Amino acid sequence: MTAFHFPARYDEAQADEGVWTSVIDEVGNHYGRFKLCLFDELTPRYRVTLERLQRKYPAKNGRTNEAYAAKSDDEKNVEVFVELSLVDWEIKDEKGKAIPFAKDTAIAYLGDVRALYVLRELAAFARDVRNFQPEEQMDLPEETNRALTL
């Protein structure tokens, strides 16, 4: 039998434990630092997270869970993103006080229309396997080699 070589697309530890990134907009506004895991449908973490959400919202008699069905698509998408990718943050409230990370708080924050820019930037970062490469990885093609923070 032939032994095939399958190169690793990403560093599994970084993809599963997360990496830190900052969100800064075009005019220099700093939204905070966020620790993200890889958002990729091909990872074990993705499958485990979906199974956990299915247990959280169990179907009854073959029908979609009422609490889940009552959520908008945007609410569902934010919840899946937070459950799968966002594992920590460093953000502040209006008075400059640190807001402790909690999944429910993160869902409320990223579900707010004023956080759409942050959500878009975080989702783009989390979906890019180039952000989850081993530190020693230096042989990425030039056109794909980019900074690991936003």
Side-chain angles (χ1 to χ4, degrees):
M1 176 170 252
T2 304
F4 296 103
H5 169 69
F6 294 101
R9 291 178 53 232
Y10 52 85
D11 179 274
E12 288 185 30
Q14 287 188 30
D16 200 45
E17 296 167 17
V19 296
W20 285 96
T21 187
S22 295
V23 175
I24 303 169
D25 69 17
E26 306 85 351
V27 294
N29 293 315
H30 189 269
Y31 293 83
R33 284 177 24 99
F34 302 84
K35 190 173 186 183
L36 300 168
C37 296
L38 177 62
F39 190 107
D40 187 313
E41 294 83 0
L42 302 175
T43 63
R45 181 182 183 87
Y46 185 87
R47 289 188 298 277
V48 168
T49 300
L50 289 185
E51 289 169 5
R52 186 172 59 246
L53 285 171
Q54 287 172 344
R55 285 191 304 276
K56 182 177 178 181
Y57 300 108
K60 295 178 184 173
N61 301 324
R63 300 181 74 181
T64 303
N65 180 286
E66 290 178 18
Y68 186 75
K71 294 178 181 237
S72 71
D73 287 344
D74 288 342
E75 290 172 320
K76 293 172 190 173
N77 291 337
V78 167
E79 184 173 5
V80 168
F81 179 77
V82 169
E83 290 289 339
L84 179 65
S85 289
L86 187 57
V87 294
D88 202 358
W89 68 16
E90 294 172 357
I91 66 171
K92 297 180 179 175
D93 66 14
E94 293 175 344
K95 296 179 181 177
K97 184 179 174 190
I99 299 173
F101 178 78
K103 297 271 185 186
D104 289 341
T105 307
I107 290 168
Y109 174 71
L110 292 174
D112 190 306
V113 69
R114 295 168 293 179
L116 284 176
Y117 174 79
V118 176
L119 179 60
R120 183 187 72 190
E121 294 299 306
L122 295 179
F125 183 92
R127 286 189 172 277
D128 192 340
V129 297
R130 294 172 291 186
N131 296 322
F132 301 90
Q133 297 299 311
E135 294 297 323
E136 65 275 3
Q137 177 81 18
M138 295 296 177
D139 59 350
L140 292 175
E142 247 183 70
E143 63 273 6
T144 62
N145 197 0
R146 66 180 213 174
L148 296 181
T149 58
L150 300 174

